[in-house]
Amino acid sequence: MALVAFSPLADNGRCATDVQAAQAARAAGADRGGPARLGRTRRWQGRILAGAGLALLPWLGYLAGTLPPAEAAAWIALDTLEAAALFTAGTRLLRADLRHRAPAAAAAVLLVADACVDLVTAAPGPDLSTSIAMAVAAELPLAALCARLAARPMRGA
C-alpha cells in the first residue's frame, strides 16, 4: 500500500510510465490502424520462413515412410525442430514481434547442422548429389536468412 502512495499517477489513474508509453506510441503512429506497419522485405522474409516450416511437414511423412525406424527417429526429430523454429520465427516476424530472433537463431543452427550431417552421411552418387543440392538450394540459404534476422533487430522497434 505504501508504494501506491508514492507512485506518480496521471491520466485517469494510470502510471506515468504508461502515459509516456502511450504518447510514444501515438507519436510513432501506432494509434492509426493498429501496430506499426511491416516493410515489404520483412513480410516476404516472414512468409518464406513460415512457408518453409509448413513445407517440412509433408517431408516428415516422407522420411517416416522411407527411412529405417532408427534413422527415421533421428531425422524426424531434427526436421520437426527445424519446422517449429522456422514457423515460429516466420509468424513472429509477420507480427513484427521482436521475439523472432531466438527461433531464427535456433533455425539457423539446426539448418546448418542438418546440411552438415546430411552431407557427411550421404552415400557417394545420387544421394550425395541430392544432399549437395538440398544444402545449396534450401538449407544454407535459409540458415543465412535466419542468422541475419537473428543478428539484426527490426527497425523502428
Side-chain angles (χ1 to χ4, degrees), residues 30-141:
D31 61 339
R32 290 179 265 148
R37 288 180 40 122
L38 195 60
R40 176 180 285 175
T41 302
R42 291 292 175 147
R43 274 196 310 268
W44 276 107
Q45 290 169 342
R47 289 176 185 157
I48 288 169
L49 294 182
L54 291 175
L56 279 172
L57 297 180
W59 178 249
L60 295 173
Y62 172 77
L63 290 176
T66 58
L67 292 176
E71 288 181 34
W75 284 110
I76 289 172
L78 177 63
D79 287 350
T80 300
L81 291 172
E82 285 176 15
L86 286 168
F87 186 74
T88 302
T91 54
R92 286 182 179 177
L93 189 63
L94 287 171
R95 291 188 315 230
D97 187 347
L98 291 177
R99 295 177 300 160
H100 73 278
R101 296 172 73 187
V109 170
L110 289 167
L111 286 163
V112 169
D114 189 0
C116 291
V117 172
D118 208 10
L119 289 170
V120 169
T121 60
D127 287 344
L128 183 59
S129 299
T130 303
S131 297
I132 291 171
M134 293 270 296
V136 170
E139 293 165 339
L140 296 179

Side-chain angles (χ1 to χ4, degrees), residues 42 98 100-101 148-157:
R42 291 292 175 147
L98 291 177
H100 73 278
R101 296 172 73 187
R148 183 172 184 266
L149 289 171
R152 295 184 58 180
M154 292 181 64
R155 290 189 181 142

